[in-house]
């Protein structure tokens, strides 16, 4: 083939490979294609990995010997049928941009994580969840089909009907099966113009499970926030956030609509400098936040504000400073949630780590391959790196093993292979599907290497 | 209103297409790879409800440009108010003494194909309203260096061609504009160490579309490349040859 005059020439380009939670791998090779001919030149000779917005907490979009292929230039709407509510978009499309377009047609994607800067490809690769995973499931539930590129296979279309094993391995496969080129997504009608947010108090950690289960039937969105900064005193006090669609005039919404895609990147997060979270500052912030939110009571928000609650709060992540933070998100069986919380309380007390955020959601459905799904309560903890954080993570791994829960692979850049193998019974099946599809293991990242995939 | 963007699949061309579409103009987009064109066309159509025509043509081959565009003008009735040519590129081995193939292809894509396309499309300019033809050069052509040798020569030739075009078309009221672009964040500059940060192609497109229908001839973009290019031209040879950029 005659080399195109516009063939990307950036094989030796590199970027500062840092995950959103602050795991730093130094410099990694990097390309940013902007046309389809690029894929004609890729071969199985080099290790590759796709990269979207680069906002994964774990190092899923770069690897020590891999070339990261950033897909942000592939950000287009390829097909839209308002009647069938099907939209095909390229993998680099940002959630916020897609929301703007769909909202114009009174449609939306029910499953969306909290920030509009994330790419569709990233949401698929991590099979992210939204504000009501029990009812809506995870991102895979709204995917009709995908186009996946692998240099050994070309571009193939996969779905639940066509090559279902590969489809289910790609959704929640952390980029290990190839580069997602585009996806056909099923949108849903926006039920009402706004979301009424009701906040109800939770006295302590032991009430979380019961209150979540009781509230879930009459909510469109449901999650909780907890103050876990005082493991020796009242632990887990906080509130449930219950969202219901309501029709109100736009002027009645609590805040004006915010811009959808705010600047958020692993680099800008790490540029914050020094970590401001310690036991005292975190305690004060949690007390103030709890009091402030509790007093708000019920309020009405625009849908974009309800779907992307992190917009405008990016400072929270920057305040961890250059060293970064950990998130430990675990899916725990409902019946054993109390036991898990008691163990977590003990581990936090022992480690003296300041917990900056604790939040719970109710999940449903069946566990499958390496996806973070199945029945249970998802409980997430944020805390700064350093100090007793490593020990706390180890204790939580052990505790999770005891209650038969599963950790969220995409949220933890340290998660050991042994913990994943123990927590995910279908680890071997995932690996065998992957190796049958890609025997040379072209698509590898720090995450897939660490997990032995 | 209709516009034609020659080189619309990536970089400045892609954003010109999007900016024009956002203004409600129907666009005809021309590039090598039909996959890119169809994707861009579908995007503009979905977002702005405009009409999009896609023409796949290899700018490496002026004869292919001639054949494809001649066939297009014979079957299409569309008339254009705006013709934009954000097309070009340099090969890695574009140095003094490079191969005939490198020189020929570089001249073709940057100069000969543009001249060929303009020759075919001129009769398809609209007969009313403001009509503009826009060419894109490079600050690399201000003064020759030891890299991008043929590319710089082709772009300087293109600027001369656009001067002739302006002279020829001014009696008909057609505006001919030529932009000498500084560093733009495209595949041409990706991964390279640059003197200053590259400009976003979206910003370039916005500036170009905002100035359509104005009679200014040639312009540097961003503006500070104008005084910088004068300094580069006037710099004594003994100093200029020391520069590495």
């Amino acid at each position: 083939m005659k080399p195109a005059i516009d063939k990307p020439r950036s094989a030796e380009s590199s970027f500062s490979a840092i995950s959103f939670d602050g795991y730093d791998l130094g410099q990694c090779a990097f390309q940013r294609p902007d046309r389809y001919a690029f894929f004609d030149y890729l071969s199985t000779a080099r290790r590759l990995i796709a990269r979207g917005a680069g906002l994964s907490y774990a190092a899923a979009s770069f690897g020590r010997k891999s070339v990261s292929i950033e897909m942000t230039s592939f950000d287009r709407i390829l097909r839209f049928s308002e009647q069938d509510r099907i939209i095909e978009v390229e993998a680099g499309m940002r959630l916020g941009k897609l929301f703007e377009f769909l909202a114009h047609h009174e449609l939306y994607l029910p499953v969306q994580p909290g920030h509009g800067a994330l790419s569709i490809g990233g949401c698929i690769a991590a099979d992210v969840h939204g504000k009501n995973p029990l009812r809506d499931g995870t991102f895979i539930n709204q995917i009709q089909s995908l186009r996946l590129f692998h240099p050994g296979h070309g571009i193939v279309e996969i779905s639940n009907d066509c090559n279902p094993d590969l489809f289910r391995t790609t959704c929640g496969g952390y980029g290990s099966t190839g580069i997602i080129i585009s996806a056909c997504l099923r949108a849903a009608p926006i039920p009402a113009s706004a979301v009424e947010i009701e906040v109800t108090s939770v006295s302590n950690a032991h009430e979380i499970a019961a209150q979540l289960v009781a509230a879930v039937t009459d909510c469109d969105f449901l999650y909780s926030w907890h103050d876990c900064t005082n493991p020796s005193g009242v632990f887990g006090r906080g509130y449930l956030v219950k969202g219901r669609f309501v029709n109100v005039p736009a002027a009645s919404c609590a805040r004006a609509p915010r811009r959808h895609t705010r600047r958020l990147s692993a680099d800008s997060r790490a540029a914050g400098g020094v970590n401001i979270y310690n036991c005292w500052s975190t305690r004060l912030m949690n007390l103030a936040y709890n009091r402030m939110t509790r007093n708000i009571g019920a309020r009405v928000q625009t849908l974009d504000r309800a779907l992307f609650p992190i917009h405008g709060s990016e400072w929270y992540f920057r305040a961890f400073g250059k060293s970064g933070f950990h998130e430990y998100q675990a899916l725990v069986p409902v019946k054993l949630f109390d036991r898990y919380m008691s163990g977590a309380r003990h581990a936090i007390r022992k480690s003296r780590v300041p917990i900056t955020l604790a939040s719970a959601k109710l999940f449903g459905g069946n566990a499958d391959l390496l996806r973070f799904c199945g029945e249970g309560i998802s409980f997430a903890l944020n805390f700064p790196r350093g100090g007793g954080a490593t020990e706390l993570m180890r204790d939580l791994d052990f505790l999770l093993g005891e209650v038969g829960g599963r950790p969220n692979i995409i949220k933890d850049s340290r998660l050991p292979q042994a913990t994943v193998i123990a927590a995910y019974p279908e680890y071997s099946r995932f690996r065998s599907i992957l190796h049958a599809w890609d025997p040379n293991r072209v698509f590898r990242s720090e995450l897939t290497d660490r997990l032995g995939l | 209103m209709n516009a034609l963007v020659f080189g619309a699949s990536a970089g400045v061309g892609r954003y010109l297409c999007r900016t024009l579409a956002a203004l409600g103009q129907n666009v005809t987009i021309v590039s090598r790879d039909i996959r890119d064109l169809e994707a861009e066309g579908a995007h503009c159509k979905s977002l702005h409800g405009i009409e999009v025509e896609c023409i796949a043509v290899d700018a490496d081959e002026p004869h292919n440009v001639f054949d494809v565009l001649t066939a297009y003008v014979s079957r299409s009735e569309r008339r254009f108010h705006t013709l934009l040519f954000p097309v070009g590129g340099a090969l890695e081995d574009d140095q003094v003494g490079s191969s005939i193939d490198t020189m020929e292809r570089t001249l073709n894509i940057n100069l000969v194909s543009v001249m060929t396309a303009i020759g075919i499309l001129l009769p398809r300019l609209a007969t009313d309203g403001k009509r503009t033809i826009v060419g894109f050069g490079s600050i690399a052509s201000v003064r020759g260096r030891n890299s991008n040798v043929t590319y710089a020569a082709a772009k300087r030739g293109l600027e001369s061609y656009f001067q002739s075009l302006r002279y020829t078309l001014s009696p008909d009221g057609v505006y001919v504009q030529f932009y000498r672009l500084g560093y733009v964040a495209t595949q041409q500059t990706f991964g390279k160490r640059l003197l200053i940060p590259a400009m976003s192609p979206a910003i370039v497109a916005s500036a170009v579309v905002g100035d359509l229908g104005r009679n200014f001839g040639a312009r540097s973009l961003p503006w500070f490349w104008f005084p910088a290019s004068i300094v580069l031209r006037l710099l004594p040879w003994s100093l200029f040859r020391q520069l590495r950029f």
Side-chain angles (χ1 to χ4, degrees), chain A residues 122-156:
Chain A
C123 291
I124 296 167
D127 192 31
V128 295
H129 56 267
K131 309 291 175 289
N132 191 346
L134 180 70
R135 189 190 66 182
D136 302 324
T138 53
F139 208 83
I140 191 173
N141 290 18
Q142 55 198 16
I143 303 171
Q144 189 179 58
S145 63
L146 295 176
R147 286 198 305 147
L148 179 72
F149 170 79
H150 185 288
H153 301 275
I155 294 177
V156 294

Side-chain angles (χ1 to χ4, degrees), chain B residues 181-192:
Chain B
L181 297 181
Y183 300 131
V184 183
T186 64
Q187 287 297 330
Q188 289 290 310
T189 54
F190 181 80
K192 287 186 176 174

Side-chain angles (χ1 to χ4, degrees), chain A residues 402-414:
Chain A
E402 282 189 337
V403 297
R406 40 174 55 192
N408 193 345
I409 292 169
I410 202 65
K411 291 285 182 77
D412 186 350
S413 59
R414 154 225 67 99

Side-chain angles (χ1 to χ4, degrees), chain A residues 198-214:
Chain A
E198 185 194 350
V199 174
T200 54
S201 292
V202 177
S203 308
N204 58 56
H206 299 293
E207 286 186 6
I208 298 173
Q211 290 208 17
L212 278 172
V213 171

Side-chain angles (χ1 to χ4, degrees), chain B residues 6 30 55-58 61-75 113 116-117 120-121:
Chain B
F6 191 100
V30 187
I55 304 174
V57 63
D58 189 353
E61 310 276 358
H63 290 289
N64 178 252
V65 173
F66 180 85
D67 293 342
V68 173
L69 290 185
T70 304
Y72 166 75
V73 295
S74 66
R75 69 168 187 272
S113 288
T116 306
I120 298 164
L121 294 167

Side-chain angles (χ1 to χ4, degrees), chain A residues 217-231:
Chain A
T217 47
D218 68 334
C219 292
D220 294 303
F221 299 172
L222 178 65
Y223 55 93
S224 66
W225 176 91
H226 305 280
D227 180 355
C228 294
T229 54
N230 184 16

Side-chain angles (χ1 to χ4, degrees), chain B residues 75-103:
Chain B
R75 69 168 187 272
S76 171
E77 296 295 316
R78 189 173 278 194
R79 288 192 167 270
F80 302 101
H81 286 86
T82 312
L83 301 175
L84 300 120
F85 297 88
V87 62
L91 287 166
E92 278 175 278
D93 58 342
D94 182 11
Q95 294 162 342
V96 171
S98 57
S99 67
I100 291 177
D101 182 58
T102 297
M103 291 189 287

